[in-house]
Amino acid sequence: MQTVLSDDQVQFKHVVHRFFDTHSTTTAVRALAETETGFDPLVWSQLSETLGLTGTHLPEQYGGHGFGPVELGIIQEEMGRTLYCGPFFSSAVMAGYALERFADEAAKTERLPQIADGSIRATLVLDDLNHPSQVGRLIAADQAGALTGSAPIVLDGCSAEVFFIVAREDSGLGLYALAAKAPGAEVSAQDSIDMTRKVARVTLQEAAGTRIGSVTPQSLNRFWDLTSVALAHEMIGGASRLLDETVEYTKGRYQFGRPIGSFQALKHRCADLLMNLEFAKAATQHAGFCLAASDQETIYPSMAKAMAADCFMEMARAAIQLRGGIGFTWENDTHLWFKRAKCDEVLLGAPYRHRARMMDILQETQDVA
Amino acid sequence: MQTVLSDDQVQFKHVVHRFFDTHSTTTAVRALAETETGFDPLVWSQLSETLGLTGTHLPEQYGGHGFGPVELGIIQEEMGRTLYCGPFFSSAVMAGYALERFADEAAKTERLPQIADGSIRATLVLDDLNHPSQVGRLIAADQAGALTGSAPIVLDGCSAEVFFIVAREDSGLGLYALAAKAPGAEVSAQDSIDMTRKVARVTLQEAAGTRIGSVTPQSLNRFWDLTSVALAHEMIGGASRLLDETVEYTKGRYQFGRPIGSFQALKHRCADLLMNLEFAKAATQHAGFCLAASDQETIYPSMAKAMAADCFMEMARAAIQLRGGIGFTWENDTHLWFKRAKCDEVLLGAPYRHRARMMDILQETQDVA
Amino acid sequence: MSHDGIKAALEAFLDAEFSPDLSLVEWRKRLVSAGWAAPSWPDAYFGRDFSQAEALVVSQVFAERRVVGAAQVGPRRLAAETILAHGTHEQKQRYLPKILTGEHAWCQLFSEPGSGSDLAGASTRADRKADHWLINGQKVWNTSAHHADFGILVARSNWDLPKHQGLSYFLIDMRQPGVEVRPLKQMNGHASFNEVFLTDARVALDDLVGGEGQGWAVATATLSIERQGFARGRSQGAPAPASAGRVYEELARELEIDNEPYTWYPQREGRPDLILQRAQETGAIEDDAVRQEMAKLVCLTEAARISADQVSAHQKSGGQGMLPAGSIGKLGASVIARQAAHVHTMISGASAMLSGPESAFEGVIAETLISVPAISIAGGTDEIQRNIIAERVLGMPKEQRMDTGPFRDIPRNGQ
Amino acid sequence: MSHDGIKAALEAFLDAEFSPDLSLVEWRKRLVSAGWAAPSWPDAYFGRDFSQAEALVVSQVFAERRVVGAAQVGPRRLAAETILAHGTHEQKQRYLPKILTGEHAWCQLFSEPGSGSDLAGASTRADRKADHWLINGQKVWNTSAHHADFGILVARSNWDLPKHQGLSYFLIDMRQPGVEVRPLKQMNGHASFNEVFLTDARVALDDLVGGEGQGWAVATATLSIERQGFARGRSQGAPAPASAGRVYEELARELEIDNEPYTWYPQREGRPDLILQRAQETGAIEDDAVRQEMAKLVCLTEAARISADQVSAHQKSGGQGMLPAGSIGKLGASVIARQAAHVHTMISGASAMLSGPESAFEGVIAETLISVPAISIAGGTDEIQRNIIAERVLGMPKEQRMDTGPFRDIPRNGQ
């Protein structure tokens, strides 16, 4: 199994880094946060068509580039660093992986290429975002494929063109496709703490979905692992950026005749933050390598999600605290990451749920290494 | 309800403080730790006969002084401060409270006065020291009062003259008395991390106990609360002493040309420790006041035990850490408190069990204030 | 004066003078003239030289009879107490009555962008001209400055002295061209504070408090009043006017303006009070991992409450040696808020993301999650509190200072 | 030389010279003479100038053929590498062979009771006499000093220079009347260290390393070797002799003495490896509160392992920028040990009190609970590691030093 990024992957990271550094400045992020759809179509077409990022992790036979969770993690990390605003996670990651893992062959062949090249923006409608075992409690499909129920949190629900919906069936769960504007589907924007990622409630009343696949517990768990690790990378990116900028701030800010970064309390806090970050980053990278290497279930994806979330949240808290009052203002950028941290923390399950999940897997497999 | 100690109680505290300051020096503690029985009979007779401490919390009608958990807490706190070595907690507190709460009238009249004046050193044999609901799993009584089973941890089991034993009966639990040297009772010393408090295993094989009372779930819970709060006071005493001495140490120890107490990392750590101590102390005192005021079950005893234990343990860890290597040596006294902290932490239930118990009570009563 | 005597005199006054149909200002003018507006103040300055116990009798009568008292809330109280203690006879005569009547609102101009924790490092300039002081600089965190008529201001009048010695304390008219007030929006969307830009603003020579170079001593007095108010404010809260009549309506409007900056303050404390109900509603209370964290929170909130009760019981009985209580309580409030936010997050799960009308308690929990960072900063950061506890309570040695020379030579921001 | 060539030459040598019936010293003398004892050392000094890759081939052959190599474990390695790098020709000739053969054991005499974290604050005196140095002072934390024939010693030869400039580095004969070694018992009952009292002890003028006043530079080199060894030691461990014959028996005895101070070292790391089994045995694994803490521990141990693997992969591929790895890993080890002790305590409950034969894993858990405090102190406290990380990795500004003047004027312990 891989231990560190290959030279090619490092190269790729530089390319992606430059792109988001240029196109996802905090000025752009602040502007997009104020819009309804929350993304810039031009940047979207550049990253999907020109750079092909949306297809990175999807199989070549369905229009993707055939790379895996590691390369996707690189993209997510850079997006988290710059708080990229756009439907990448909802469409390419959530909907893309759902199709790849749950859809039948025909649906994949028809629909994955559109996700992979970004020409269609889809999103996944999951009625629970806390734990895979709770999915399907709120949305049900009848035998004709009519979907009824509601999902309170759907990423980019207002701007997506297509919904893929996981719904409870007589036995088990099925995957359904539905045009966003289809009769019986009602979409209402929800206010989120994190203005840089839009969410909506999707309510379905006998909406005529097309059944395109089955969701098994195994495939749902695998999906959960893949998306959790992608999200963990986003959090690591955000946390790294915050640490860099916070340390810089303490070097330049003077109080009591000295830079505040020379006060031992701040130095030690930053040292602890770096240790947490290094550990969470190692865990997250390793989870990506594991997913890339094998389909076997391990503790690492949940471990990565739990550690990255705790790390990002702790980092965001510290980033505000170490700035003092200015860190609590709207004008200062720190809160943008703080709010992303808070939402990422609970999206796909809060840390304590992932720790519980780790222990379940650990007991099943009894094999940590 | 009381909020702070009365003038009389403060006066009492001074008297007790002076006594243990004089009679429980670390030299004495170290010497007693090396003995088998772990106590000095002379000091025992002074504190029981001369000062009457053993009867403080027991009712006057049974030879006690009729004070309550608050005055007992004062004694325990001073004992914790000086690591007093002797059977006070096992005999006066555990056995004394067990008699008072579980025994029938005749047994109280006969036996409590001997506990109260310290002329008999008894101990309580409980087969579980983690949670009241688990008591009685290992020791059973048949209808003739023959006791069979084993308790792995009995405080001062080797030096006690009488055992009071809680045993499972056909329905419920009973309290039994047994001479320490009675046939069928086997006592073997156990090594404890804390050399300043002796423990033993008591194994019973058809030992002919005298049934002297019944143990109801309510009375067992009350007993658990009373003993937990006494123990919490001991821990607060130990933690206070450690903080005082650690702060003094940092003022006098020089590294890098300055007292280490001037380093902000150490100052902030000590500030946090003081806050923890103040909170744990407030909770512990309040628990004593609650127990003294009413028989009603509240969250405060378990809260006190959990907070005092976490505080003492954290304090002990810091006391070693802030001394550096010297704090890890046998010659330095800090480890004596560290080991007491570790054992007190788990005696009568580790903090997490008391927190769970708090929540059970909280849900039952729905009334925090 | 006997307590009964006070009561009788006050009730006679109220019977004769109070009417709910008076304007708020007119009524308070009567209170001020009679010495009932601030009875613990000196006879010479609108008061009656009452002891604290006597003043308490007055408050009780006001409360029982639901009579409106003097304007007290907000920074105006800091200004009043400071002027009373350190002001000149003329300043007292000029400013105090209109503070009591509520005709003049005040704000506090101490903090600066470049000196947050280091208040004595203020670098707003006060240059002495022939007949006035000329003020230039920027202040920040100025609650209610946009409503204020006057401000209490700390500025540097001498740059060659060490930092604490070069400050002076002024009373500044906020309604002048050189003073620009801009609202400062926080990360939780509220704008409770302002930035104040001072550009060739003027202060009359008479409006210096405590003498040139005495600014730090006077500011310290103001801060101490503020801290006492913080402790008191938490247990009392403002009395809610409940009756009909012009005086009550005008009071309600005054309080609305005064309290507006503080509407989210309960949220910055983490709203531990909502935890149990939320956990029961969502069913999270059945989860043992959540229960542990809830229990830890209950331990903290209860211990903080008990500890505060013990401190005030000690103080009432004239006890001492509990000075650190303020800093320990403040540090505790930070820990509580953090733990409460943590537990709220666990309880809400993925829906903790939501902040709109559909979210828990109509957005109160969401506002809590993005307000708690304030508690460990405002009014002295946790780091400052820990310094205070370590040095003043535990007596640990101070660090060598790097800022003892002439102020102009000290490295600072914006240089 | 090609790797195959090395292998062939070495195997020929072993075929000709090695016999399990040789005495350990006799066999190692042959190794030293032939340059196979330390092949990466210079040709001129008992080695073969081999690259690391070439030396690895040698190790592999030794391992495959289960042949005993040079004495390497413990402080003797620090002495050897330091002498090799900074010693004189005569020192190398005199001391290195007997280190390699194991005839001489060494110890490290750096730390003092008055200077723990502040190693450069050593105040053991080295006074130059006509034909020797006279040493007076006390050292502490000297592993294996009671078995040592020689010690590497840092002492102060000049009190008028700043602290780092007044130190010198010596090789001292431990078998002389002026050297008294006393065991130092730790709180866990082991005595892994010693105190060493130096009273008019003598060092020959020739036994100064690196010149007078160069002590800090040489000591830094030794410490750096120690740190590398710490990192390596954790992954390798000493090869266990498994065959019969005199040479193996003598090696077993040597290793027993060398390893004796370290028997409890696994316990100071918290024994996270025993958690799962213990939790299953006691049933605590079914408790959700315990599971959360177990999961946190697994996160830490696994992340530390993965992070260390990444660091060594980077280093192998010649990567850089990962220098902090040592301090971060060490800080992580403290956190892990603390959490492991916490979880062990939860799992054991009241029986965590017990330490005798009846206790869990025959006392190993109990020893763990009273050994973990060492991990955050030994080899540089957590506080020192955090300083290093903040200053060297994050580039945060150093604090103003209070100890820059002549050493005799610096406030210090025991003055």
Side-chain angles (χ1 to χ4, degrees):
Chain A
M1 200 190 300
Q2 237 182 305
T3 310
V4 289
L5 294 183
S6 68
D7 290 345
D8 283 352
Q9 288 164 338
V10 170
Q11 201 48 46
F12 180 61
K13 193 167 163 57
H14 289 317
V15 172
V16 176
H17 177 84
R18 270 196 303 273
F19 180 81
F20 288 107
D21 226 33
T22 311
H23 293 96
S24 183
T25 60
T26 48
T27 313
V29 167
R30 281 179 177 273
L32 290 171
E34 300 293 338
T35 67
E36 208 168 297
T37 56
F39 76 101
D40 179 337
L42 193 64
V43 176
W44 175 254
S45 77
Q46 283 176 312
L47 76 83
S48 54
E49 288 165 35
T50 317
L51 282 184
L53 298 184
T54 34
T56 307
H57 55 299
L58 298 172
E60 286 178 283
Q61 73 214 82
Y62 306 118
H65 301 303
F67 295 105
V70 179
E71 290 77 10
L72 177 63
I74 289 170
I75 298 171
Q76 287 283 140
E77 191 177 325
E78 295 303 326
M79 286 181 166
R81 185 185 297 276
T82 57
L83 285 182
Y84 165 72
C85 297
F88 187 88
F89 188 72
S90 58
S91 185
V93 182
M94 298 271 289
Y97 270 140
L99 272 184
E100 192 212 338
R101 293 286 151 177
F102 308 144
D104 50 39
E105 195 55 33
K108 284 195 222 186
T109 307
E110 178 194 345
R111 295 173 181 272
L112 258 180
Q114 300 169 329
I115 302 292
D117 68 12
S119 56
I120 293 283
R121 285 169 288 99
T123 189
L124 183 68
V125 178
L126 272 183
D127 54 8
D128 189 277
L129 291 170
N130 290 305
H131 196 277
S133 67
Q134 293 177 8
V135 169
R137 294 194 183 173
L138 302 179
I139 299 181
D142 69 12
Q143 293 195 327
L147 302 165
T148 299
S150 185
I153 302 173
V154 177
L155 304 187
D156 298 309
C158 286
S159 63
E161 297 157 300
V162 177
F163 297 146
F164 300 121
I165 301 166
V166 176
R168 190 178 68 248
E169 299 173 337
D170 280 349
S171 67
L173 301 170
L175 182 69
Y176 293 80
L178 186 75
K181 306 220 179 292
E186 193 188 310
V187 186
S188 55
Q190 292 258 46
D191 291 331
S192 167
I193 282 178
D194 175 14
M195 292 172 62
T196 65
R197 177 174 277 150
K198 304 299 177 186
V199 298
R201 175 182 279 281
V202 172
T203 306
L204 304 167
Q205 187 61 47
E206 306 255 337
T210 311
R211 191 180 193 288
I212 58 171
S214 303
V215 183
T216 63
Q218 290 79 356
S219 64
L220 185 56
N221 268 314
R222 179 71 181 180
F223 166 85
W224 211 273
D225 283 347
L226 288 163
T227 49
S228 293
V229 171
L231 198 60
H233 277 94
E234 174 178 306
M235 296 191 275
I236 294 300
S240 305
R241 165 85 167 244
L242 284 177
L243 182 60
D244 292 349
E245 296 196 343
T246 301
V247 167
E248 275 319 298
Y249 180 83
T250 69
K251 291 180 192 173
R253 169 88 178 164
Y254 280 74
Q255 297 278 276
F256 306 102
R258 48 194 273 205
I260 62 171
S262 72
F263 283 100
Q264 206 183 28
L266 272 67
K267 288 161 83 163
H268 283 201
R269 182 148 186 192
C270 289
D272 284 338
L273 290 169
L274 177 66
M275 187 194 77
N276 282 343
L277 176 61
E278 288 299 318
F279 277 18
K281 198 172 176 176
T284 299
Q285 287 200 338
H286 184 70
F289 295 141
C290 286
L291 289 174
S294 132
D295 260 1
Q296 207 180 332
E297 189 168 47
T298 70
I299 59 170
Y300 298 107
S302 270
M303 183 172 131
K305 174 65 168 66
M307 293 187 82
D310 283 341
C311 167
F312 193 12
M313 199 62 233
E314 175 64 25
M315 192 72 80
R317 261 198 303 269
I320 291 175
Q321 181 70 24
L322 269 51
R323 282 168 175 78
I326 194 76
F328 192 67
T329 60
W330 189 269
E331 197 179 310
N332 188 275
D333 293 328
T334 312
H335 72 99
L336 301 172
W337 277 271
F338 180 94
K339 291 168 181 174
R340 175 65 72 89
K342 180 47 76 181
C343 292
D344 280 0
E345 182 188 6
V346 293
L347 181 59
L348 296 174
Y352 85 98
R353 287 180 180 271
H354 277 279
R355 283 193 291 266
R357 190 162 173 261
M358 267 178 72
M359 291 304 296
D360 294 340
I361 298 169
L362 188 64
Q363 267 186 294
E364 272 167 35
T365 60
Q366 290 275 354
D367 178 20
V368 185
Chain B
M1 201 193 300
Q2 238 182 305
T3 311
V4 289
L5 293 184
S6 69
D7 290 346
D8 284 352
Q9 287 164 339
V10 170
Q11 201 48 47
F12 180 61
K13 193 167 162 57
H14 289 317
V15 172
V16 177
H17 177 83
R18 269 196 303 274
F19 180 81
F20 288 106
D21 228 32
T22 310
H23 293 96
S24 184
T25 60
T26 48
T27 313
V29 167
R30 281 179 177 272
L32 290 171
E34 300 293 337
T35 67
E36 207 169 296
T37 57
F39 76 102
D40 178 338
L42 193 65
V43 176
W44 175 255
S45 77
Q46 283 175 314
L47 76 84
S48 54
E49 287 166 35
T50 316
L51 282 184
L53 299 185
T54 34
T56 307
H57 55 299
L58 298 173
E60 284 178 285
Q61 73 213 84
Y62 306 118
H65 300 304
F67 294 104
V70 179
E71 290 76 10
L72 177 63
I74 289 170
I75 299 170
Q76 287 282 139
E77 191 176 325
E78 295 302 326
M79 286 180 167
R81 185 184 297 277
T82 57
L83 283 183
Y84 166 72
C85 298
F88 187 88
F89 188 71
S90 57
S91 185
V93 182
M94 298 270 289
Y97 271 139
L99 271 185
E100 193 212 338
R101 294 285 150 178
F102 308 144
D104 51 39
E105 195 55 32
K108 284 196 221 185
T109 308
E110 180 194 343
R111 295 171 182 273
L112 257 181
Q114 300 168 327
I115 303 292
D117 68 11
S119 56
I120 294 282
R121 285 170 286 101
T123 191
L124 183 69
V125 178
L126 273 182
D127 54 7
D128 189 278
L129 290 170
N130 290 305
H131 197 276
S133 68
Q134 293 177 7
V135 170
R137 294 195 184 172
L138 302 178
I139 299 180
D142 69 14
Q143 292 196 329
L147 303 164
T148 300
S150 186
I153 301 173
V154 176
L155 304 187
D156 297 309
C158 285
S159 63
E161 296 156 301
V162 178
F163 297 147
F164 300 120
I165 301 165
V166 176
R168 189 177 72 248
E169 298 174 336
D170 281 349
S171 65
L173 301 171
L175 183 69
Y176 293 79
L178 187 75
K181 304 217 180 297
E186 195 188 308
V187 186
S188 55
Q190 291 257 46
D191 292 330
S192 167
I193 281 178
D194 175 15
M195 291 172 64
T196 67
R197 178 173 275 151
K198 303 300 177 185
V199 299
R201 174 182 280 281
V202 172
T203 306
L204 304 166
Q205 185 62 45
E206 306 256 335
T210 310
R211 192 182 193 285
I212 58 171
S214 303
V215 183
T216 65
Q218 291 79 357
S219 64
L220 184 56
N221 268 313
R222 179 71 182 179
F223 166 85
W224 211 273
D225 283 347
L226 289 163
T227 49
S228 293
V229 171
L231 197 61
H233 277 93
E234 174 177 308
M235 294 190 277
I236 293 299
S240 305
R241 166 85 168 248
L242 284 177
L243 183 59
D244 292 348
E245 296 197 343
T246 302
V247 167
E248 275 318 300
Y249 180 83
T250 69
K251 292 180 191 173
R253 168 87 178 165
Y254 281 74
Q255 297 277 278
F256 305 103
R258 48 194 274 206
I260 62 172
S262 71
F263 283 100
Q264 206 183 28
L266 271 66
K267 288 161 83 165
H268 283 202
R269 182 147 185 194
C270 288
D272 283 338
L273 291 170
L274 177 65
M275 188 194 77
N276 282 343
L277 176 60
E278 290 298 320
F279 276 19
K281 197 171 174 176
T284 299
Q285 285 200 339
H286 183 70
F289 295 141
C290 286
L291 288 174
S294 131
D295 261 2
Q296 208 180 335
E297 189 169 48
T298 70
I299 59 169
Y300 298 105
S302 270
M303 183 172 131
K305 174 67 169 67
M307 293 187 81
D310 282 342
C311 167
F312 194 12
M313 200 60 234
E314 175 63 25
M315 192 71 81
R317 260 197 303 268
I320 292 175
Q321 182 69 25
L322 270 53
R323 282 169 176 77
I326 194 75
F328 192 67
T329 61
W330 189 269
E331 198 179 308
N332 187 277
D333 293 328
T334 312
H335 72 98
L336 300 172
W337 278 271
F338 180 94
K339 290 168 181 174
R340 175 66 69 89
K342 180 47 77 183
C343 291
D344 280 0
E345 181 188 6
V346 293
L347 181 58
L348 297 172
Y352 85 98
R353 286 181 180 270
H354 277 279
R355 283 193 291 266
R357 191 163 172 260
M358 269 178 69
M359 291 305 295
D360 294 340
I361 298 170
L362 188 64
Q363 267 185 294
E364 272 167 36
T365 62
Q366 289 275 355
D367 178 21
V368 184
Chain C
M1 207 164 172
S2 79
H3 289 190
D4 285 347
I6 292 169
K7 213 169 155 182
L10 176 55
E11 295 203 322
F13 169 80
L14 293 176
D15 290 339
E17 301 279 340
F18 181 68
S19 154
D21 298 328
L22 290 170
S23 83
L24 185 58
V25 168
E26 171 52 30
W27 163 237
R28 282 176 173 161
K29 281 182 175 166
R30 295 185 191 184
L31 277 175
V32 171
S33 317
W36 292 116
S40 62
W41 287 12
D43 261 337
Y45 298 113
F46 322 106
R48 291 174 161 254
D49 261 331
F50 275 11
S51 70
Q52 256 197 308
E54 290 168 333
L56 192 65
V57 174
V58 176
S59 307
Q60 282 164 347
V61 174
F62 272 80
E64 275 162 29
R65 298 196 35 163
R66 303 189 143 277
V67 168
V68 175
Q72 289 188 339
V73 183
R76 62 163 68 83
R77 206 179 64 79
L78 305 182
E81 300 280 351
T82 307
I83 292 169
L84 192 68
H86 297 275
T88 61
H89 174 71
E90 288 69 27
Q91 287 167 348
K92 292 176 195 173
Q93 289 292 345
R94 178 168 172 214
Y95 292 112
L96 293 180
K98 292 197 172 175
I99 291 179
L100 292 174
T101 61
E103 286 166 279
H104 284 169
W106 285 67
C107 67
Q108 185 182 6
L109 304 171
F110 284 15
S111 294
E112 298 182 6
S115 58
S117 293
D118 181 14
L119 211 55
S123 60
T124 289
R125 309 185 61 92
D127 294 306
R128 189 176 171 136
K129 302 294 169 188
D131 63 344
H132 64 272
W133 291 90
L134 201 63
I135 313 292
N136 281 284
Q138 186 191 340
K139 295 288 177 177
V140 74
W141 310 120
N142 315 110
T143 309
S144 300
H146 54 309
H147 292 118
D149 302 288
F150 292 91
I152 43 179
L153 168 74
V154 173
R156 187 162 306 278
S157 52
N158 188 322
W159 294 64
D160 298 315
L161 293 172
K163 59 195 273 192
H164 292 86
Q165 297 166 35
L167 297 171
S168 296
Y169 192 108
F170 303 97
L171 310 177
I172 186 172
D173 186 344
M174 296 292 286
R175 313 288 193 191
Q176 59 169 310
V179 175
E180 188 196 349
V181 178
R182 291 187 207 157
L184 183 61
K185 190 172 166 187
Q186 298 123 232
M187 65 175 273
N188 62 2
H190 292 271
S192 306
F193 306 102
N194 300 281
E195 296 175 289
V196 175
F197 296 83
L198 301 157
T199 313
D200 287 344
R202 284 167 178 242
V203 170
L205 295 182
D206 286 348
D207 283 334
L208 174 69
V209 181
E212 189 182 335
Q214 295 304 306
W216 182 245
V218 183
T220 302
T222 306
L223 293 173
S224 147
I225 296 160
E226 191 176 13
R227 267 195 299 273
Q228 289 161 28
F230 180 75
R232 242 205 320 271
R234 288 167 61 95
S235 49
Q236 285 186 345
S243 315
R246 178 173 174 184
V247 72
Y248 293 111
E249 284 155 21
E250 290 183 9
L251 176 64
R253 234 167 300 148
E254 179 185 277
L255 285 176
E256 200 181 322
I257 291 173
D258 284 347
N259 291 331
E260 182 248 310
Y262 308 106
T263 51
W264 59 278
Y265 273 35
Q267 275 69 274
R268 73 179 187 175
E269 295 180 12
R271 299 308 301 258
D273 55 314
L274 301 179
I275 291 279
L276 194 59
Q277 187 187 338
R278 277 285 291 157
Q280 282 166 333
E281 283 171 8
T282 63
I285 198 166
E286 300 306 326
D287 185 307
D288 281 335
V290 178
R291 288 168 82 86
Q292 282 291 315
E293 297 305 310
M294 287 178 70
K296 286 179 196 167
L297 177 60
V298 172
C299 286
L300 289 166
T301 54
E302 284 297 289
R305 181 185 64 77
I306 295 162
S307 172
D309 287 351
Q310 291 183 345
V311 170
S312 63
H314 263 287
Q315 283 168 344
K316 269 182 206 150
S317 68
Q320 33 166 303
M322 305 283 280
L323 279 173
S327 289
I328 289 177
K330 184 156 188 328
L331 198 55
S334 294
V335 179
I336 289 169
R338 207 150 48 232
Q339 178 68 4
H342 172 56
V343 178
H344 271 304
T345 304
M346 288 178 92
I347 291 173
S348 291
S351 63
M353 296 168 67
L354 301 179
S355 64
E358 252 200 61
S359 68
F361 287 100
E362 289 167 346
V364 169
I365 304 300
E367 186 165 290
T368 299
L369 298 178
I370 56 172
S371 295
V372 288
I375 193 86
S376 43
I377 297 171
T381 63
D382 283 0
E383 288 75 20
I384 295 289
Q385 305 306 330
R386 289 194 187 97
N387 280 347
I388 293 172
I389 295 168
E391 290 174 8
R392 300 200 202 152
V393 189
L394 296 173
M396 295 175 82
K398 299 196 179 199
E399 283 191 282
Q400 175 96 0
R401 294 200 74 120
M402 297 293 132
D403 56 353
T404 48
F407 185 78
R408 65 170 76 253
D409 301 333
I410 298 172
R412 58 186 187 276
N413 297 300
Q415 270 188 315
Chain D
M1 206 166 173
S2 79
H3 288 190
D4 284 347
I6 291 170
K7 215 171 153 181
L10 176 54
E11 295 202 323
F13 169 80
L14 293 176
D15 289 341
E17 301 278 342
F18 182 68
S19 154
D21 299 327
L22 290 171
S23 82
L24 185 58
V25 169
E26 172 51 30
W27 162 237
R28 281 176 174 160
K29 281 183 176 166
R30 295 186 190 183
L31 276 176
V32 171
S33 316
W36 291 116
S40 62
W41 287 12
D43 260 337
Y45 298 113
F46 322 108
R48 290 173 162 256
D49 262 330
F50 274 13
S51 70
Q52 258 197 307
E54 289 168 332
L56 192 66
V57 174
V58 176
S59 307
Q60 282 164 347
V61 173
F62 271 78
E64 275 161 28
R65 300 198 30 165
R66 303 188 145 279
V67 168
V68 175
Q72 289 189 337
V73 184
R76 62 164 68 83
R77 208 180 61 81
L78 307 181
E81 299 280 350
T82 307
I83 292 168
L84 191 68
H86 297 274
T88 62
H89 174 70
E90 288 70 26
Q91 288 167 347
K92 292 176 195 173
Q93 290 293 346
R94 179 168 171 212
Y95 292 113
L96 293 180
K98 291 197 173 174
I99 292 180
L100 291 173
T101 60
E103 287 166 278
H104 284 168
W106 285 66
C107 68
Q108 186 182 7
L109 303 170
F110 284 15
S111 294
E112 298 183 7
S115 58
S117 292
D118 180 16
L119 212 55
S123 60
T124 289
R125 309 185 63 89
D127 294 305
R128 188 175 171 136
K129 301 295 167 185
D131 64 343
H132 64 271
W133 292 89
L134 201 63
I135 312 292
N136 281 285
Q138 186 190 340
K139 295 289 177 175
V140 73
W141 310 120
N142 315 110
T143 309
S144 301
H146 55 308
H147 291 118
D149 302 289
F150 293 92
I152 43 181
L153 168 75
V154 173
R156 186 160 306 277
S157 52
N158 187 324
W159 293 64
D160 298 315
L161 293 172
K163 58 196 273 193
H164 292 86
Q165 298 167 35
L167 297 170
S168 296
Y169 192 108
F170 303 97
L171 310 177
I172 185 172
D173 185 343
M174 295 293 285
R175 314 289 192 190
Q176 60 169 309
V179 176
E180 188 196 348
V181 179
R182 290 187 207 154
L184 184 61
K185 190 173 166 185
Q186 298 125 230
M187 64 176 274
N188 62 2
H190 291 272
S192 306
F193 307 103
N194 300 282
E195 297 176 288
V196 175
F197 296 83
L198 302 157
T199 314
D200 288 344
R202 285 167 177 242
V203 169
L205 296 182
D206 286 348
D207 283 335
L208 173 70
V209 180
E212 191 182 333
Q214 295 303 307
W216 182 246
V218 183
T220 302
T222 306
L223 293 173
S224 147
I225 296 160
E226 192 175 12
R227 268 195 298 274
Q228 290 160 26
F230 180 74
R232 242 206 319 269
R234 289 166 62 95
S235 51
Q236 285 188 343
S243 315
R246 180 175 174 184
V247 72
Y248 293 111
E249 284 154 22
E250 290 184 9
L251 176 65
R253 235 167 300 148
E254 179 186 276
L255 285 176
E256 200 180 322
I257 292 172
D258 284 346
N259 290 331
E260 182 248 310
Y262 308 106
T263 52
W264 59 280
Y265 273 34
Q267 276 68 274
R268 74 177 187 177
E269 295 180 11
R271 296 312 300 261
D273 55 314
L274 301 179
I275 292 279
L276 194 59
Q277 187 187 339
R278 277 285 293 157
Q280 283 166 332
E281 283 171 9
T282 65
I285 198 165
E286 300 306 327
D287 185 307
D288 281 336
V290 178
R291 288 167 82 86
Q292 281 292 314
E293 298 304 311
M294 287 177 70
K296 287 179 195 167
L297 177 60
V298 172
C299 286
L300 289 166
T301 53
E302 285 296 289
R305 181 185 64 77
I306 295 161
S307 171
D309 287 352
Q310 291 183 345
V311 171
S312 65
H314 262 288
Q315 283 167 345
K316 268 181 207 151
S317 68
Q320 33 165 303
M322 305 282 281
L323 278 175
S327 288
I328 289 177
K330 185 157 186 328
L331 198 55
S334 293
V335 178
I336 289 169
R338 211 154 41 235
Q339 177 69 2
H342 172 56
V343 178
H344 271 304
T345 304
M346 289 178 92
I347 290 173
S348 292
S351 62
M353 296 169 69
L354 300 180
S355 63
E358 255 200 57
S359 67
F361 287 99
E362 290 167 345
V364 169
I365 304 301
E367 186 165 291
T368 298
L369 298 178
I370 56 173
S371 295
V372 288
I375 193 86
S376 43
I377 296 171
T381 63
D382 282 1
E383 289 75 20
I384 295 289
Q385 306 307 329
R386 291 193 186 98
N387 279 348
I388 292 172
I389 295 168
E391 291 173 8
R392 300 201 201 151
V393 188
L394 296 173
M396 296 175 80
K398 298 197 179 200
E399 284 192 280
Q400 176 97 358
R401 296 201 72 121
M402 297 293 131
D403 57 353
T404 47
F407 185 76
R408 63 172 74 254
D409 301 332
I410 299 173
R412 59 185 186 277
N413 298 299
Q415 269 191 316

